[in-house]
Structures are given as C-alpha cells and as structure tokens.
Amino acid sequence: MNEKEKVQFLASYDINQYDRPSIAADIAVFSIGRKLAEELDYRRLPTKTLRLLMIRRAEQPYQGEWALPGGFMQQGETIQETARRELKEETGTDKAYLTLCDVFSDIGRDPRGWILSQSFIAVLNDDDLANSHLEASGDAGEAGWFDITVQKTAEHKKEKHNTVTCDKEYELTLERSAPADKTQLRAVVREHIEYRDYHELMTYELVSSEGIAFDHARIILSTFNSLKRMLDSDIRIAFDFMPEQFTLTDLQEAVELVSGQELIKPNFRRKISEYVLETEHQVQNGGHRPSKAFVRNLERFYR
Amino acid sequence: MNEKEKVQFLASYDINQYDRPSIAADIAVFSIGRKLAEELDYRRLPTKTLRLLMIRRAEQPYQGEWALPGGFMQQGETIQETARRELKEETGTDKAYLTLCDVFSDIGRDPRGWILSQSFIAVLNDDDLANSHLEASGDAGEAGWFDITVQKTAEHKKEKHNTVTCDKEYELTLERSAPADKTQLRAVVREHIEYRDYHELMTYELVSSEGIAFDHARIILSTFNSLKRMLDSDIRIAFDFMPEQFTLTDLQEAVELVSGQELIKPNFRRKISEYVLETEHQVQNGGHRPSKAFVRNLERFYR
DNA sequence: ACAATAGTGTCTATCAGACAGTATATA
DNA sequence: TATATACTGTCTGATAGACACTATTGT
C-alpha cells in the first residue's frame, strides 16, 4: 500500500505483454410479424410469426451470408454500450434494454482469430420498428427480418458414472419474411446438457449451417432458449413485443409464439390482468366482434 | 463465398490492428460457516454465517488488500475454463458449476488498463472444502473466508420524465472468520436501478472501499444479489451449500442466510420434500432431539 | 423437569387449469 | 344467418402461509 511503489508499478506495467482476445457483442433482435397473403377468409386474423433480425455481410469472411447484428467493442465504451451502438448503427433503433445472455469464447469460433462474443437479446415492437430506418433501407440489402422456426429433431439421455447428460438436436430455419425473395437459411445445432445436482451445464455446438455466418446459428439457438426461459419465469417480458396500445389476443399470441404452446384464454387474461389497463379504443380486424385496446399498467411493472 | 477470396482475406487480416481489452474472470465463492466460541448454552446450535472467499494480493496494485479469486484469460481456453483454472489454482477446489453472472467493462475500473471482468458465482459445501487445500494453506496467508454482511442503508425512488429510477446504498462488511485476526473489510456500494417497462437496468457503483481491491466490492454486491435472485426463482441452488448428507434445519438455515428472511419450518419442509430422501442416519448436536440426515433425491433434480 | 431443537397435522386463502357460456362484428 | 373472434363466469384441484401440536435429547 506504499503509494510510491504503486505508482512505480503502474508506470512499468505493460498490459500489452499479454495476449488477449477481441470482444464482440452480438444481438438477437426479436419481433413479431404478420404473415401476409392469406386473404382466404375475410374473418380470419393474419397468422403471426416470431421474427429475428439478420444482417447480410458485405465483407469477408462469410461475405454475402447472414449474421446477427453486432460488432467489436471499442475503447472507451462498455460492452453494453457496444451492443447499443451497433444496434443503432445497423438498424437505427435505439432500444435501451438489451439483456445480457451468454458468452461464447471457444477457440476457432471465428476464422479471423481469437474473438469472444457476448450475446444479447433485444425485443422490438411495432412502435420501435416505426422509429427505426429498417423498412426504409429496404433492398439496400443490409438488414432483413426472418421468420424463425426451431424444431427439436432428436434427444438422447445418457447416464454413466453418476452423471446424467442429454444431447438434443435442433433444426433452425430462418425464412425471409418481408420481400418475397424466398431466402431460406438452415442450421442444425446440438445442445449438450450435463446435469450436476440442480445445475445444467449447457453447451451449444454447430452441426451444420447454411447461409448463416460464423457460429451464429448456435448463438441464435442459445438466445432463443434464453428468451423462452425468461418468459417462463416472468411473463412481463411479453409486453416488449407490444406497442403502446395492443389487444389481449395479440399479447397472448406473442407468448404462445415464444413458448411454443397454446394457452387457455381466460386463464391467460386473469394472469396478465394486473399488468394492463383497458382503454376506450377498439380494434376492428375482421368479420367478428372488435377487441378492446389495452395499455400497460406501469405501476405494476415497477416493483 | 469465393473460396480463394476468403483465404486471401484471412491471410491479410490482422486482428491485432484493433485495440482490445484484457479479459479477467472473477469468482465469488460462497459457503456456510459456523460461528465458534459460543459455549454459552450446551443445547444451542452454533450460529451459521454466509461466507465469501477472498485472496490477499501479493502483488501491486492493491498489494496486501483482498480481492476475489480470479485472473486473466489465456489463449486456448474459454472464459469458463479460465474461471475454473483460477479457482483450482488459488483454492485447490475443482468445483465444476460456475454460474456466469455479469460483465464489468467500465473504463477506469482497473488501474492497470482496459480490463473487462466476467463475474461468476460458485457455491462450496463441506465436502468440497474437505477436498480443497484451503485449510491447509492456513496462514500461508493466501486465501481466507470472510463472513459477509450486506445492509441496505438508504433508498431513494425518483420519478421524472416518465422514467422511474431507484438508488439504493448498501454497506458491505467482510469479517475474517477462521483465524481470530479480526480483519474487517468494509465498502459502500450504490445500486442504481432504472425501470423501463418490466426491465430493471441495474448498475453498481463503488462509493468507498476499505481493504477490498479494485472494484471488487461492487462485483461482490452484484453476485450476492444474483445469488439471492437465483435462490428465489429456484430453491434447488440451496443444495449446493449442503454436503452429501445434511439435516433439513441446515438446509433451511442456508436458504435463510442467503435470502435474509426467516421461513416457517413446516412450509419449508413441504416445499423441499420432493428433492430429498430420508436416510437412517441421525445427527446429534446438543441437548435436544437428534435430527435425521437426508440426501438429495437426484431423480427430481434432473428435469 | 426444563429448555432447545426436531418433526407433523391441518385450516385457510389464494392461484392455476379446464371448460362452458355469452357477445358482436361482416359477408 | 353463419362464422370467427372477443370476452366472462365458475368449478376444481393444487399450492403457500400461518399456527398449533407432539417428540426427543442432555443436563
């Protein structure tokens, strides 16, 4: 604690003598979209889909393939600021709540070298999208929304030497939503879970990847599963998908899309009733009873 | 996607052209200790405390002060492996489940330069401690357990421009448990919460720190609050504090120590009953009815 | 016998799941 | 009028909180 010693030490300390990785922030941006071209029945509501935002790479490596929005950490900013800046640069959205998700630091995950990636989750609603320049950029070809489908294709539970492990294989399909250009990206990701007491040591491994850059397919899987778990433990995150005004059916569909299971309407409404306030507005969207518009009951959000 | 182009690009790509931070893993290791020197009443059980493992720094900066176990990421390992290696090196414990907690990357948080810290949580039980060389190292002066006390000393809720913020001040006290050397470390940490919809944007800021190196006092606060939240959402983490055999009172005390609130015994037992199996062993520790020893019901842990 | 801890039984309020029912828009 | 969606009421079983009670030990 000798002050002089301390100053001397720091003056002679060269942090650059140690090798170290570059840091990237990668952001999985989710939103909900409407499937168009379904004029079959004037009564029927449009089918909704869960969407993921991807960026087409203009540079090598993986030039022309699609990657998660993100980029490298720069001096003077925190990793959260990196994520926010990159999202703003690439999409024009200034959404503040990026949820830290996981870290990917395996060697060899990026051909450019030793690169550690911090993954984040962001959820955008229709108001956020209106304020972004995503639609405007259009076929400037940069950003694009993809309908995301995750299908579990295999599951093997093993037990040996007192440890239980479980391998699951998922097929990830990303189908471009907005322009009818039919771009389809596919990947297979293996989830390896090792159970130790209550802990689940989860690792994601890329099996194959078509059109998705780097190891981003497994990052997508990991964030998708995180989003599910977050929703399970706190339904309030579903409101992130909703604009200022929304119908309860919209909200329920958001939850169902993420969780992958259907809910019973009255039960769902009872559950979320404390978080919403009825407005006088009505939403009419078909040959059936119009629905009431609701807003967030913000007081209940602040615990 | 021209293969030749790709190879050319990578050959000429120099990742070292960009500045980047060093990466450290810092681990908050918790366990439960017994307060000794309480021979007042032969019937009474020893008081238990929540303990945190700290390492006395042998080098500058902060030489002689106490820091969380941890260290720098090395080439060829993932950040999880870094945490595991450092914990093994400094304590001899080979506990596998390190839970990733948060990232600290503010500029100026480390006088040595631009250093990003990944914080982890580990929980050790008596069996783990027996297998470590912690006790052996004794007054080699390296590692030491500290009884941790966190006291909220202030809370201010503000509301302006549609955003609600809340500042809380915590006093952190670390009191050395094992040797009676009375070492006491203190720090004051300010927690700043910004509420946005359901999101809580939490930041921890160091107000003062006595004897605790770097910004580790705020990392301790952050991990402590995380541990609490983890316990809230899944009681099974309490079993990490228990050795293979334990009494239900021990388990309940562990939960109470972390959560900071007393529980009603029959309700607690009902809640955890599915996770435990009764053994034929008994534990006798005072002038009162002996308690049954229990073990984990592992089948219930593997969901 | 006493004091301290160990362990059990039960009442009650609250909450989640399931289902049956009514209401209202447009072709 | 038919149909798809919007919305409400209520029965049921499961769960969580509170409290009262019995059991067993060493001094």
Side-chain angles (χ1 to χ4, degrees):
Chain A
M1 251 106 89
N2 180 326
E3 196 54 35
K4 195 179 135 213
E5 249 180 63
K6 191 169 155 187
V7 169
Q8 265 182 353
F9 168 85
L10 288 173
S12 68
Y13 184 86
D14 177 21
I15 198 164
N16 294 314
Q17 68 187 297
Y18 305 107
D19 204 7
R20 56 203 194 280
S22 299
I23 312 296
D26 289 309
I27 309 130
V29 186
F30 294 97
S31 76
I32 283 175
R34 274 155 287 276
K35 261 237 187 324
L36 305 173
E38 281 194 72
E39 317 283 310
L40 309 159
D41 188 339
Y42 76 98
R43 287 187 218 273
R44 203 147 240 142
L45 288 176
T47 312
K48 308 259 179 65
T49 57
L50 186 65
R51 284 177 174 179
L52 179 69
L53 186 66
M54 299 287 278
I55 307 282
R56 199 207 300 266
R57 286 187 57 77
E59 315 261 316
Q60 286 288 2
Y62 298 103
Q63 192 174 55
E65 297 196 19
W66 294 84
L68 289 171
F72 289 105
M73 191 176 180
Q74 294 174 357
Q75 192 134 31
E77 67 186 8
T78 65
I79 185 71
Q80 286 84 359
E81 285 162 354
T82 306
R84 200 135 146 217
R85 174 180 53 74
E86 289 288 348
L87 193 58
K88 173 99 184 179
E89 280 175 17
E90 290 178 324
T91 72
T93 59
D94 200 3
K95 185 84 173 189
Y97 17 106
L98 289 152
T99 308
L100 200 125
C101 190
D102 205 353
V103 191
F104 295 87
S105 54
D106 323 19
I107 41 167
R109 58 168 294 276
D110 192 311
R112 290 168 297 184
W114 188 18
I115 298 175
L116 179 151
S117 161
Q118 273 283 355
S119 65
F120 290 84
I121 292 177
V123 174
L124 299 185
N125 60 49
D126 287 349
D127 290 343
D128 299 323
L129 293 178
N131 295 329
S132 73
H133 56 62
L134 267 174
E135 318 296 359
S137 78
D139 62 353
E142 283 290 87
W145 287 104
F146 287 77
D147 294 345
I148 177 172
T149 317
V150 175
Q151 185 102 36
K152 200 200 293 174
T153 53
E155 176 164 350
H156 299 289
K157 209 157 198 161
K158 277 175 282 183
E159 195 170 343
K160 58 173 175 182
H161 307 128
N162 263 343
T163 58
V164 179
T165 59
C166 186
D167 283 332
K168 297 176 186 170
E169 244 176 52
Y170 294 95
E171 201 176 290
L172 170 71
T173 313
L174 297 178
E175 197 163 352
R176 185 134 193 208
S177 12
D181 76 345
K182 290 278 173 190
T183 304
Q184 251 209 10
L185 316 177
R186 288 177 171 283
V188 176
V189 177
R190 184 175 302 131
E191 183 185 40
H192 178 80
I193 310 177
E194 194 173 325
Y195 296 93
R196 304 243 187 146
D197 287 9
Y198 109 94
H199 294 269
E200 300 181 354
L201 305 173
M202 239 178 280
T203 48
Y204 291 91
E205 189 192 332
L206 207 56
V207 176
S208 69
S209 182
E210 293 170 37
I212 303 175
F214 305 106
D215 60 344
H216 285 192
R218 69 165 178 160
I219 299 183
I220 293 168
L221 232 294
S222 149
T223 53
F224 178 73
N225 284 344
S226 279
L227 183 65
K228 256 203 224 178
R229 240 172 292 125
M230 284 160 65
L231 188 68
D232 263 2
S233 66
D234 190 343
I235 194 136
R236 291 178 301 166
I237 202 178
F239 288 89
D240 284 6
F241 287 101
M242 297 295 110
E244 203 198 332
Q245 292 205 2
F246 52 90
T247 71
L248 298 187
T249 301
D250 280 347
L251 185 62
Q252 182 173 345
E253 278 179 324
V255 173
E256 289 176 336
L257 275 173
V258 174
S259 73
Q261 42 187 304
E262 293 204 345
L263 302 172
I264 293 165
K265 196 169 7 188
N267 300 348
F268 175 76
R269 285 172 184 231
R270 189 174 47 205
K271 192 172 177 184
I272 51 91
S273 60
E274 57 170 325
Y275 299 120
V276 297
L277 292 173
E278 200 178 313
T279 68
E280 282 151 7
H281 296 245
Q282 288 203 334
V283 179
Q284 181 52 284
N285 41 19
H288 50 76
R289 180 169 168 181
S291 36
K292 288 174 194 155
F294 286 79
V295 293
R296 294 162 177 76
N297 183 0
L298 285 179
E299 289 188 17
R300 290 311 187 88
F301 280 88
Y302 309 143
R303 289 242 167 113
Chain B
M1 254 110 85
N2 180 326
E3 196 56 33
K4 195 178 135 212
E5 248 182 63
K6 190 170 156 186
V7 169
Q8 266 183 354
F9 169 84
L10 287 174
S12 68
Y13 185 85
D14 177 20
I15 199 164
N16 295 313
Q17 68 187 297
Y18 305 107
D19 203 6
R20 56 203 194 279
S22 300
I23 311 296
D26 289 308
I27 309 131
V29 186
F30 295 97
S31 76
I32 282 175
R34 275 156 284 277
K35 262 238 188 322
L36 305 172
E38 281 196 72
E39 318 283 309
L40 309 158
D41 188 338
Y42 77 99
R43 289 187 217 273
R44 203 145 242 145
L45 289 175
T47 312
K48 308 257 180 64
T49 57
L50 186 65
R51 283 178 176 180
L52 180 70
L53 186 65
M54 299 286 277
I55 307 281
R56 199 206 301 265
R57 286 187 57 78
E59 315 261 316
Q60 286 288 4
Y62 298 103
Q63 192 173 54
E65 297 195 18
W66 294 84
L68 289 171
F72 288 105
M73 191 177 181
Q74 294 173 357
Q75 191 134 31
E77 67 186 9
T78 64
I79 185 71
Q80 287 84 359
E81 286 163 353
T82 305
R84 198 133 148 222
R85 174 179 54 74
E86 290 288 349
L87 193 58
K88 173 100 183 177
E89 281 175 17
E90 290 178 322
T91 71
T93 58
D94 201 2
K95 185 84 173 187
Y97 17 104
L98 290 153
T99 308
L100 200 127
C101 191
D102 205 352
V103 191
F104 296 87
S105 54
D106 323 19
I107 41 167
R109 57 169 293 276
D110 192 311
R112 290 169 296 184
W114 188 18
I115 298 175
L116 179 150
S117 160
Q118 273 283 356
S119 64
F120 289 85
I121 292 177
V123 173
L124 299 184
N125 61 48
D126 287 350
D127 291 343
D128 299 324
L129 292 178
N131 295 329
S132 74
H133 56 62
L134 266 174
E135 318 297 357
S137 79
D139 63 352
E142 284 289 86
W145 288 103
F146 287 77
D147 294 344
I148 177 171
T149 317
V150 176
Q151 184 103 36
K152 200 201 290 175
T153 53
E155 176 165 348
H156 298 289
K157 208 156 199 161
K158 276 174 283 181
E159 195 170 343
K160 58 173 175 181
H161 307 128
N162 263 345
T163 59
V164 179
T165 60
C166 186
D167 283 332
K168 297 177 187 171
E169 243 175 52
Y170 294 96
E171 201 176 289
L172 170 70
T173 313
L174 297 178
E175 197 164 351
R176 184 132 193 208
S177 11
D181 76 344
K182 290 278 175 193
T183 304
Q184 252 210 9
L185 316 177
R186 290 177 169 284
V188 176
V189 176
R190 184 175 303 130
E191 182 185 41
H192 178 80
I193 310 177
E194 195 173 325
Y195 296 93
R196 303 246 187 142
D197 287 9
Y198 109 95
H199 295 270
E200 299 181 354
L201 306 172
M202 239 179 280
T203 48
Y204 291 92
E205 189 192 332
L206 207 56
V207 176
S208 69
S209 181
E210 293 170 36
I212 303 175
F214 305 106
D215 61 344
H216 285 191
R218 70 165 178 160
I219 298 183
I220 293 168
L221 232 295
S222 150
T223 53
F224 178 73
N225 283 344
S226 280
L227 182 65
K228 255 203 228 180
R229 241 172 292 125
M230 285 159 65
L231 188 69
D232 262 2
S233 67
D234 190 343
I235 194 138
R236 291 178 301 166
I237 202 179
F239 288 89
D240 284 7
F241 287 101
M242 297 295 111
E244 203 198 332
Q245 292 204 4
F246 52 90
T247 70
L248 298 187
T249 302
D250 280 348
L251 185 63
Q252 182 173 345
E253 278 178 325
V255 173
E256 289 176 336
L257 275 174
V258 174
S259 73
Q261 41 187 304
E262 293 204 345
L263 302 173
I264 293 165
K265 191 164 22 179
N267 299 348
F268 176 76
R269 285 172 184 233
R270 190 175 47 205
K271 192 173 178 184
I272 52 91
S273 60
E274 57 170 326
Y275 299 119
V276 297
L277 292 173
E278 200 178 313
T279 68
E280 283 149 7
H281 295 245
Q282 288 204 332
V283 178
Q284 181 52 284
N285 42 19
H288 51 77
R289 180 170 171 180
S291 34
K292 289 175 193 155
F294 286 78
V295 292
R296 292 161 177 76
N297 183 1
L298 285 178
E299 288 189 18
R300 290 314 187 87
F301 279 89
Y302 309 143
R303 290 238 168 114

